[in-house]
Amino acid sequence: MARALSSCNGRANLFGSSTSNLLSPASVCYRPLVVRMSREQPYSYWANIEADVETHLKEAIPIRHPVSVFEPMHHLAFAAPRTTAPALCIAACELVGGDRSQAMAAASAVQLMHAAAYAHEQLPLTDRTRPATERRFGPNIELLTGDGMVPFGFELLADSLDSAQNNPDRVLRVMAEIARATGSQGLVDGQFREFIISQSDEEGAVDASSIEYVSRKKEGELHACAAACGAILGGGSEAEIEKLRSYGLYAGTIQGMLHGIGRNQKGVREMVENLRALALKEVESFKKREIEAISSLVQPELSFV
């Protein structure tokens, strides 16, 4: 059974001035939230969404003339490690009553931003940079292709404008959300902080505040953006948008702590448990809807990365 965590004095402030204070058990009280879903169901749900996003992207980026441009873009769009952010965008849209098609362009754009960031991250900038995947193209091609994927993501969003659906304002808002989350105050900031840590002599023992910061900026804010964008495009209320934004922030930070900079670091599991409870608390208000699928993203016995 999952447990939801509620603040005894209102909503808990996760990313306050002190990591130790914000995750202190004494600052919160627990009450149960039952999530009824078999082990097979969430895998099927997320896999179905991811397959749809992948199909949409492959149709949007076929290998065509000029091949020197579109072949590396097609390859790098899917070469990055898996992220659950695009699927969360779709799930959030469906949770607020929207149709999957309404958020498909946004989910694809989020995937492209993630892929572009990863391509830049893997460039051999220093002797200590260690590419995690085999290089198919030279660093010059990967740098320029990564640069090109970002505006192409916004192009996909622009192409999704549909006056019949009355969505221009929503799409414009989503563009601003993605630009903010993936820019110098979001994902890029996390990448920079992680790079500084990787170049230090203390890389093997990262302090808790650095783990939390990098995980929040890289994975957390990308997931927060994705969830908010899905809710915006699905016609969610402002309250629903903000709750799903918070859920995405917690869920993404968990991903970063378990599979990113926080992997194999001491004390991470306890921090993750508190984040998980806070995430589940955010979706409690959707209790009259199907929250089982979206809640499964942070369940301890399941891993989607």
Side-chain angles (χ1 to χ4, degrees):
M1 178 182 290
R3 291 195 300 171
L5 179 131
S6 59
S7 170
C8 297
N9 297 307
R11 180 177 175 181
N13 178 15
L14 175 59
F15 300 116
S17 59
S18 170
T19 303
S20 59
N21 290 338
L22 64 91
L23 295 176
S24 171
S27 65
V28 294
C29 58
Y30 295 86
R31 59 195 180 90
L33 169 66
V34 178
V35 178
R36 298 181 177 87
M37 177 173 275
S38 71
R39 186 177 181 83
E40 291 76 17
Q41 285 176 299
Y43 286 114
S44 176
Y45 177 75
W46 296 109
N48 182 267
I49 292 178
E50 289 180 345
D52 284 351
V53 174
E54 182 174 335
T55 297
H56 184 81
L57 269 176
K58 286 182 176 179
E59 291 175 352
I61 318 175
I63 299 177
R64 63 180 190 271
H65 183 78
V67 175
S68 59
V69 172
F70 286 99
E71 183 179 10
M73 182 179 290
H74 183 93
H75 171 74
L76 292 175
F78 304 104
R82 181 186 178 197
T83 175
T84 51
L88 179 59
C89 180
I90 299 290
C93 178
E94 293 182 334
L95 184 64
V96 299
D99 183 78
R100 184 169 298 191
S101 62
Q102 293 176 282
M104 190 58 66
S108 299
V110 168
Q111 172 62 29
L112 288 174
M113 300 303 171
H114 165 69
Y118 181 76
H120 287 158
E121 198 172 71
Q122 296 300 302
L123 293 173
L125 302 177
T126 73
D127 292 338
R128 296 185 65 176
T129 302
R130 301 184 296 276
T133 57
E134 182 180 351
R135 313 199 76 88
R136 182 170 172 180
F137 303 96
N140 55 335
I141 298 298
E142 293 192 1
L143 172 63
L144 293 174
T145 301
D147 290 344
M149 291 167 74
V150 173
F152 187 74
F154 288 113
E155 182 181 336
L156 289 180
L157 283 166
D159 288 343
S160 71
L161 287 169
D162 186 349
S163 58
Q165 293 185 18
N166 193 31
N167 73 347
D169 288 344
R170 294 178 185 177
V171 172
L172 181 61
R173 182 176 175 182
V174 164
M175 288 181 174
E177 291 277 353
I178 292 177
R180 188 180 306 112
T182 58
S184 61
Q185 299 300 310
L187 195 156
V188 173
D189 183 19
Q191 284 185 306
F192 174 74
R193 185 72 66 93
E194 185 174 33
F195 176 76
I196 295 300
I197 293 171
S198 73
Q199 301 302 301
S200 71
D201 294 329
E202 299 180 355
E203 182 184 356
V206 186
D207 63 271
S209 62
S210 294
I211 291 173
E212 178 271 316
Y213 187 88
V214 171
S215 298
R216 168 166 51 96
K217 285 295 181 177
K218 287 186 66 178
E219 290 87 353
E221 295 198 7
L222 185 65
H223 282 72
C225 166
C229 289
I232 291 167
L233 293 168
S237 67
E238 287 303 315
E240 290 173 333
I241 292 168
E242 292 310 312
K243 283 183 177 296
L244 286 168
R245 185 195 306 278
S246 294
Y247 176 83
L249 184 64
Y250 300 141
T253 303
I254 289 173
Q255 301 289 352
M257 287 183 167
L258 292 179
H259 308 289
I261 189 175
R263 63 186 181 278
N264 303 323
Q265 296 291 332
K266 294 182 178 179
V268 166
R269 290 289 174 179
E270 182 179 351
M271 296 166 68
V272 165
E273 285 302 317
N274 285 297
L275 287 167
R276 179 178 290 120
L278 287 168
L280 292 172
K281 177 64 178 176
E282 293 296 334
V283 294
E284 278 190 336
S285 61
F286 295 94
K287 59 187 177 181
K288 293 183 180 180
R289 308 183 192 183
E290 296 295 328
I291 66 168
E292 290 88 350
I294 200 168
S295 298
S296 68
L297 191 63
V298 296
Q299 293 306 311
E301 69 276 10
L302 301 173
S303 176
F304 299 95
V305 177

